[in-house]
Amino acid sequence: MSTQNFNLPDVGEGLTEAEIVAWKVAPGDTVAINDVICEIETAKSLVELPSPHAGVVGELLAAEGATVEVGSPIITFVTDARDDAGPGVIATAEAPAPEEGGGSVLVGYGTGGGATSRRKRPAERPVRSSVGVIAKPPIRKLARDLGVDLTTVTPTGADGEVTRDDVMTHAQQASVFRNIETPEWGAVREETVPAPQSTPSGLARGLSPAPASASGRSDDRTESIPVKGVRKATSSAMVQSAYSAPHVTVWKEIDASRTMELVKRLKASPDYADIRVSPLLIMARAVIWAARRTPMVNAAWIETEGGAEIAVRHYVNLGIAAATPRGLLVPNIKDAQDLSMKDLARALNRLTLTAREGKTSPADQQGGTITITNIGVFGMDAGTPIINPGEAGIVAMGTISQKPWVVDGEVRPRWVTTVAGSFDHRVIDGDGMSRFIADVASVLEEPALLVE
């Protein structure tokens, strides 16, 4: 028997630290290779760490909520040396373990150089519940995260197994017009409401006692929230954008009734039976179409040794600002200009699901060229969004609601929304901004413009 340390790995993002979100094991538990031992959160993603050893959990060396540097020990295992997979190598959870000498691994931990041989990960076996549903553990976790009752899902996998697509489709059918949905938050949110005097200090609404602030003060009325992970990365990016790019915002109120009619027809079409459709799909197509007519909104300001240059991209990596339980993420759909309406809808579906799972990869958040933020899902009519760094424009879509609207000299109830856009005035001037927003608005007013 031997005791093995497991050091926090670099999960392939080049980051230097991560937070221990939740331990899935306790001292004394018996684990197999690739059993999930904990969840960690980096500035980019939430990752499940699999065990590199088969044996018994010895000691948890980092507390939940602690921020740990890559390479620091976080857990010990008591193992049989003959069954050990090696302290420096572990197969990724996303793919089967590679044979000796190649493949994808989690790196950045273990003793110098690590071992060179690897044990193949055991095949993941479906788990049958007491009610007879067959689904693999990741699918069960996905269903829990989305609030889907697996007993109500129609399975399409082999031998009646529920697949990822089955769960996704079921979840999509539960909503009508929302795209990046407001997460199902728990009863406790970030609050700064003073705690009642009758409540023990710092424990109102299930919150932890407030730590002392930088000034050394701590009382019942103040809660300190550490800035880390996604919040830290977002704040840094927003400050960089707001204080480097001169923002100008323009907006237009429009009649989106024909967009709503098109969404309704697409929902009823057999071709879209397994695809979630919302007004965001039409908005995405409108932005792509309008960017082709005004390319400067899809450009970027690049600082160079000799001064600066403007890079005009002749492709659209369409970013979608997503509110998730982990904070604001902006994944993007690569080469969105090449996608059909149906393929774009599928891409939006995948982006939504991945963001809600907290599994958006760093690669999916890099290389964006223009972004849409759908503030309408929060009931907002309009806003002045901050440009995503590396881009020159961001479009905000407000809520779509029925309002009185003048049509042919008569006041009628119509579906009305507001489209706003913020732009980098170093890259694009007022006439270009206005033409772009007018083009987006014209498509939402008459989606038939997309038929060319």
Side-chain angles (χ1 to χ4, degrees):
M1 304 298 287
S2 64
T3 300
Q4 302 285 348
N5 282 351
F6 177 40
N7 300 338
L8 179 66
D10 175 352
V11 293
E13 304 175 13
L15 300 171
T16 60
E17 63 182 24
E19 178 187 345
I20 305 295
V21 175
W23 283 107
K24 302 301 183 182
V25 296
D29 286 354
T30 300
V31 295
I33 293 173
N34 286 318
D35 282 353
V36 174
I37 58 174
C38 69
E39 288 183 345
I40 63 170
E41 181 179 22
T42 71
K44 294 294 185 182
S45 60
L46 192 68
V47 178
E48 291 182 337
L49 289 186
S51 173
H53 305 290
V56 176
V57 175
E59 183 180 1
L60 306 183
L61 303 177
E64 291 183 352
T67 299
V68 182
E69 292 185 359
V70 168
S72 300
I74 59 173
I75 189 174
T76 65
F77 297 93
V78 179
T79 67
D80 184 333
R82 294 172 300 175
D83 294 332
D84 183 58
V89 182
I90 178 172
T92 62
E94 289 78 14
E99 298 290 349
E100 182 175 344
S104 176
V105 297
L106 296 179
V107 296
Y109 60 90
T111 56
T116 58
S117 63
R118 305 173 180 89
R119 176 189 295 264
K120 288 185 179 179
R121 67 175 290 189
E124 193 172 50
R125 295 182 296 274
V127 177
R128 181 180 293 273
S129 74
S130 58
V131 294
V133 176
I134 303 175
K136 295 176 181 177
I139 305 305
R140 292 181 177 276
K141 181 180 185 301
L142 172 61
R144 288 196 301 271
D145 291 344
L146 296 180
V148 172
D149 181 355
L150 284 175
T151 63
T152 65
V153 177
T154 301
T156 62
D159 300 323
E161 181 181 346
V162 175
T163 67
R164 179 190 182 92
D165 286 343
D166 295 337
V167 174
M168 177 179 172
T169 299
H170 189 92
Q172 290 166 356
Q173 294 172 347
S175 181
V176 180
F177 293 123
R178 292 165 71 92
N179 47 292
I180 303 297
E181 296 191 21
T182 304
E184 294 295 331
W185 301 97
V188 178
R189 295 194 183 192
E190 297 177 353
E191 299 183 35
T192 55
V193 179
Q197 294 300 313
S198 59
T199 304
S201 174
L203 299 182
R205 296 172 177 84
L207 298 174
S208 301
S213 65
S215 63
R217 297 178 57 189
S218 177
D219 56 48
D220 293 345
R221 301 188 300 167
T222 302
E223 175 196 358
S224 296
I225 302 175
V227 178
K228 54 187 177 181
V230 171
R231 175 61 56 193
K232 183 177 180 180
T234 299
S235 62
S236 176
M238 293 299 97
V239 169
Q240 173 193 345
S241 176
Y243 287 95
S244 62
H247 285 53
V248 176
T249 303
V250 295
W251 57 89
K252 181 175 176 60
E253 190 176 39
I254 61 173
D255 177 1
S257 297
R258 290 184 176 175
T259 283
M260 299 301 280
E261 292 170 2
L262 175 58
V263 168
K264 183 177 180 180
R265 289 198 299 271
L266 292 177
K267 285 177 175 288
S269 170
D271 291 339
Y272 287 79
D274 62 338
I275 305 174
R276 181 187 203 166
V277 178
S278 78
L280 179 65
L281 172 61
I282 314 304
M283 178 68 166
R285 291 280 292 193
V287 167
I288 296 168
W289 183 81
R292 186 170 67 246
R293 291 162 58 89
T294 308
M296 297 306 287
V297 302
N298 196 50
W301 180 273
I302 307 295
E303 299 286 351
T304 66
E305 292 184 0
E309 63 184 26
I310 296 174
V312 182
R313 281 82 68 103
H314 299 291
Y315 61 93
V316 177
N317 288 348
L318 184 64
I320 305 294
T324 77
R326 297 180 53 242
L328 177 66
L329 301 178
V330 190
N332 61 79
I333 299 171
K334 302 294 192 289
D335 290 315
Q337 79 283 350
D338 294 334
L339 300 180
S340 67
M341 180 81 84
K342 186 184 295 186
D343 288 339
L344 183 60
R346 290 187 185 278
L348 286 169
N349 285 183
R350 289 192 295 270
L351 180 150
T352 301
L353 181 62
T354 304
R356 289 192 61 185
E357 286 185 82
K359 298 298 177 64
T360 302
S361 70
D364 287 339
Q365 299 178 66
Q366 297 170 355
T369 62
I370 190 168
T371 293
I372 297 173
T373 177
N374 189 356
I375 59 176
V377 298
F378 306 111
M380 298 295 101
D381 292 327
T384 56
I386 296 178
I387 303 166
N388 201 31
E391 301 174 15
I394 180 171
V395 184
M397 183 179 186
T399 187
I400 302 178
S401 58
Q402 284 198 318
K403 294 181 180 180
W405 195 264
V406 178
V407 180
D408 296 330
E410 297 181 357
V411 177
R412 302 177 185 175
R414 304 290 286 178
W415 290 102
V416 177
T417 188
T418 300
V419 175
S422 293
F423 303 92
D424 186 342
H425 213 324
R426 297 173 300 177
V427 176
I428 184 168
D429 296 327
D431 61 335
M433 305 176 200
S434 300
R435 284 198 306 270
F436 173 76
I437 290 298
D439 280 344
V440 171
S442 66
V443 170
L444 294 179
E445 290 177 333
E446 181 49 83
L449 291 173
L450 296 173
V451 179
E452 297 181 352

